[in-house]
Amino acid sequence: MSRHGHNHSPSPSQLSLRVKALESLLVEKGYFESAALDRIVETFEHKVGPRNGAKVIAKAWVDPAYKQRLLADSTAAIAELGYSGAQGEDMVVVENTPTVHNLVVCTLCSCYPWPTLGLPPTWYKMPPFRSRAVIDPRGLLKDEFDLEIAANVQLRVWDSNAELRYLVMPMRPAGTEGYSEEQLAELVTRDSMIGVGLALAATA
Amino acid sequence: MPTLTVDQVDARILKGGSCRSQEVVDAGFAAGDSVIALNINPATHTRLPRYIRGKRGTVAFDHGVFVFPDTLAERQGEQPQHCYSVCFTFQELWGPQASAIDCLYIDMFESYIEHIEGAQP
């Protein structure tokens, strides 16, 4: 999936061939049990992904005490909902407000908060996103993500170059006062938790 | 290299392993301190991106003590040290034509920064 208008990746057939070859090699050389590979795939397909993060954000929107804990000790508050583990050991949640918009990037590679967002999208790992996010984030958001940040809103870019992993808390959309936590979670997109998008608008 | 088993997958993915260190280490910096990122160019592993080297910023907060990836990658020990969120303005990074209000936060290990002489916190 590319948002840059041209492909950065090999075609799916080449890619799946490469994956099959790698899988065979890893198993035949004894690095992995075949079942262990299946378990990894199953974990990231069904257990770990951006719906986890969406539940964290929705809870913070409806529960002021939880939001306070989430901003004060993000790792512990996220673990309250059962989300923890690799690439989420030390979390920092940053809050969007009417005057601040946050954007997360890993300029050095592709560090990403797995327990709350799953594995990163391809574009997140590619040099065009990683370099422009720090040099020209407003242009990047406008051109590649149709997201224009008002001139009077401060843009804060978080480079997760070390061991901390960042999750953006988007603003709660207007008109969602009567929404349940579950309904709110449906509005929290992966992109809004990276900072390349906003939460979806109320549907009612 | 031992074969990865199903049980180990759950432990590694669902439990993970923090790089936070339990060692007690003094913090050389505090929130509000004016700092400059060292202009160093190691040929080995580092988490200090080139675009930050030599730039001036302000310590935003202290993340606590973490093992130092630069030495760990070279098998020269953990050298646990504080890691700080440091804020750099876009004008400091990219010059006067850059946004006057935007800023970049990046995590700087103690070894990457030094105090700016004479700067008022």
Side-chain angles (χ1 to χ4, degrees), chain A residues 30-33 35-36 39-40 43-44 47-48 84-86 89-90 92 107-108 133-138 151-166, chain B residues 1-6 9-10 12-20 46-49 51 61 63 66-67 69 83 85 90 94 99 101-109 112:
Chain A
Y31 295 137
F32 284 69
E33 282 181 356
R39 184 66 155 237
I40 293 171
T43 300
F44 286 102
K47 286 188 189 161
V48 176
S84 59
E89 294 96 342
D90 295 283
V92 177
T107 60
L108 294 178
V134 289
I135 296 173
D136 177 26
R138 286 176 185 264
N152 61 347
V153 171
Q154 184 190 45
L155 189 57
R156 293 182 183 172
V157 180
W158 299 81
D159 187 347
S160 58
N161 61 313
E163 312 299 357
L164 289 303
R165 298 291 170 265
Y166 293 88
Chain B
M1 189 172 146
T3 304
L4 187 75
T5 64
V6 176
V9 168
D10 284 353
R12 290 198 190 183
I13 295 178
L14 301 177
K15 188 157 173 290
S18 175
C19 294
R20 199 177 278 281
T46 183
R47 302 293 180 87
L48 174 61
Y51 75 95
F61 50 92
H63 289 300
F66 285 80
V67 301
C83 182
S85 176
F90 266 57
W94 314 115
S99 163
I101 60 171
D102 296 347
C103 55
L104 177 117
Y105 289 81
I106 186 166
D107 295 326
M108 293 282 103
F109 287 92
Y112 293 163

Side-chain angles (χ1 to χ4, degrees), chain B residues 59-118:
Chain B
V59 175
F61 50 92
D62 184 348
H63 289 300
V65 179
F66 285 80
V67 301
F68 190 42
D70 300 38
T71 50
L72 199 63
E74 294 301 308
R75 300 187 181 186
Q76 290 169 7
E78 296 193 344
Q79 297 197 13
Q81 54 190 271
H82 283 260
C83 182
Y84 308 89
S85 176
V86 180
C87 177
F88 295 84
T89 68
F90 266 57
Q91 293 201 340
E92 168 68 10
L93 295 176
W94 314 115
Q97 82 291 348
S99 163
I101 60 171
D102 296 347
C103 55
L104 177 117
Y105 289 81
I106 186 166
D107 295 326
M108 293 282 103
F109 287 92
E110 184 103 13
S111 296
Y112 293 163
I113 51 178
E114 58 187 26
H115 287 283
I116 297 175
E117 291 298 321

Side-chain angles (χ1 to χ4, degrees), chain B residues 46-59:
Chain B
T46 183
R47 302 293 180 87
L48 174 61
R50 212 165 281 275
Y51 75 95
I52 291 297
R53 298 174 192 171
K55 302 297 183 184
R56 291 157 186 260
T58 306
V59 175

